[in-house]
Amino acid sequence: MKFIRYEQADKTQIGILNQAGTDILPLSGLLPHRSYATMQELIENITGDELAQLKTALHTGAASPSVPAAQVKILPPIDKPIHDILCVGVNYRDHQKEASEALNDFKAAPRAVYFAKRAIHILGDGGEIQSRPDLDDQLDYEVELAVIIGRRGKDIPKEEAENYIFGYSVFNDISSRRLQNQHGQWFKGKSLDTYTAMGPVILHKSALPFPVEADVRSYVNNEKRQDSNTRFFLTDLPQIIEDLSRGMTLEPGDIIATGTPAGVGMGFRPPRFMKAGDCVTCEIPPIGTLTNYII
């Protein structure tokens, strides 16, 4: 079940995609007794009974009117996160190797690397990434699986991690590598405005076995750059949630970006960074495809 946020007649709405991915079933028609104004509100408050009702409508064919997805503007599923994005660094061995060769003073950590990424606004599918060559001409892409937390929790054992997940999305952790090197940590180089993209949907966790094993790929101007699978995580998803929640509360709507595989621009010799006019596409087949344009 894919939750999607869209704009129609200057009004923002939430729906679910039909199984063909061509039409949107508005929640206003499927759950007329409830009004979810934002995806954040839905994540926090949707009940198990309502989820079951939506699944039934999806599989049996809903009687309520549908909206052709091609005729509306698709919005990022979450446009303004409640906190900074929680990120996992160098979570694939092949990316660990290319990072060690490309970043000054990089040393592989003995345990998972966690850091934050500021995002005052998240881009959706079709959104424009503002390049800042005056600040950094080393603009890079990183396809990642995003995990959206669905329940408030602290000190979560890894055996219960899935219970705290709402769903998954496609994430592009856009990065300025020169800034990343200059500051000796990653926050600034990954937090410029428009440097976060996610979408086009949130896939409910019930659609995928846990732990998730999904292909992750990226393309620049239709040329494949990254191609891996989340089964190659150095730190798996249950362990990530256990680690992050130790002594730190996770809340509904929190976003965890789980790391990127090899093939980023800085890993090529010579490096292959993005520039104005480029198109970057991130793909996780069970979820969808996220395309953004560099301006």
Side-chain angles (χ1 to χ4, degrees):
M1 185 161 53
K2 296 180 177 181
F3 290 91
I4 190 164
R5 187 169 158 267
Y6 64 101
E7 184 180 283
Q8 184 182 34
D10 296 324
K11 183 179 179 182
T12 299
Q13 299 190 55
I14 297 172
I16 56 174
L17 274 181
N18 68 351
Q19 291 183 306
T22 57
D23 294 273
I24 300 169
L25 307 176
L27 289 194
S28 57
L30 299 176
L31 301 174
H33 61 291
R34 293 296 297 264
S35 176
Y36 291 118
T38 66
M39 192 70 75
Q40 180 67 37
E41 185 181 340
L42 181 147
I43 292 168
E44 290 182 5
N45 297 292
I46 195 165
T47 67
D49 286 345
E50 288 171 341
L51 285 169
Q53 188 175 337
L54 294 178
K55 285 183 183 178
T56 299
L58 189 61
H59 290 289
T60 61
S64 61
S66 62
V67 178
Q71 296 181 16
V72 298
K73 181 180 179 180
I74 305 302
L75 302 173
I78 297 172
D79 63 339
K80 192 170 180 64
I82 58 169
H83 301 300
D84 286 350
I85 312 297
L86 299 169
C87 300
V88 188
V90 289
N91 200 25
Y92 293 77
R93 193 170 305 281
D94 55 3
H95 180 55
Q96 187 181 77
K97 182 176 184 296
E98 70 177 359
S100 67
E101 295 171 352
L103 293 174
N104 296 338
D105 301 322
F106 177 86
K107 292 182 180 179
R111 300 183 66 177
V113 175
Y114 299 114
F115 63 96
K117 178 184 178 82
R118 176 177 168 84
I120 62 168
H121 177 77
I122 297 176
L123 298 180
D125 185 46
E128 295 180 333
I129 300 166
Q130 176 69 59
S131 62
R132 289 296 305 268
D134 57 319
L135 298 176
D136 191 342
D137 59 357
Q138 297 182 355
L139 183 63
D140 216 342
Y141 52 89
E142 293 188 2
V143 60
E144 308 195 15
L145 173 72
V147 177
I148 292 83
I149 296 297
R151 285 176 54 195
R152 194 172 193 270
K154 181 178 175 180
D155 297 323
I156 302 166
K158 58 185 177 182
E159 294 80 13
E160 297 180 19
E162 188 181 16
N163 296 332
Y164 290 82
I165 295 171
F166 177 79
Y168 309 99
S169 195
V170 184
F171 191 89
N172 191 348
D173 179 17
I174 302 142
S175 307
S176 281
R177 300 302 188 188
R178 195 182 302 280
L179 288 175
Q180 194 174 338
N181 265 319
Q182 285 175 349
H183 288 272
Q185 47 73 40
W186 303 344
F187 181 80
K188 175 67 175 180
K190 290 174 174 283
S191 297
L192 301 191
D193 293 350
T194 76
Y195 272 25
T196 302
M198 189 174 79
V201 302
I202 295 176
L203 178 69
H204 190 259
K205 66 180 181 182
S206 60
L208 293 177
F210 189 81
V212 176
E213 292 189 2
D215 291 333
V216 289
R217 306 185 188 105
S218 73
Y219 305 80
V220 177
N221 301 327
N222 296 319
E223 176 193 15
K224 187 187 291 183
R225 295 286 184 88
Q226 296 174 277
D227 189 356
S228 190
N229 189 285
T230 58
R231 68 176 175 272
F232 298 120
F233 280 163
L234 292 173
T235 303
D236 66 15
L237 195 44
Q239 188 64 56
I240 289 169
I241 290 175
E242 180 177 271
D243 286 350
L244 287 174
S245 70
R246 251 189 220 129
M248 185 175 81
T249 301
L250 300 181
E251 295 191 297
D254 274 336
I255 299 167
I256 302 173
T258 56
T260 199
V264 298
M266 72 173 181
F268 289 89
R269 294 292 176 268
R272 304 177 69 182
F273 296 115
M274 299 186 295
K275 60 187 183 303
D278 284 346
C279 169
V280 57
T281 296
C282 296
E283 176 186 48
I284 302 179
I287 303 170
T289 299
L290 173 69
T291 297
N292 298 101
Y293 301 93
I294 316 304
I295 61 170

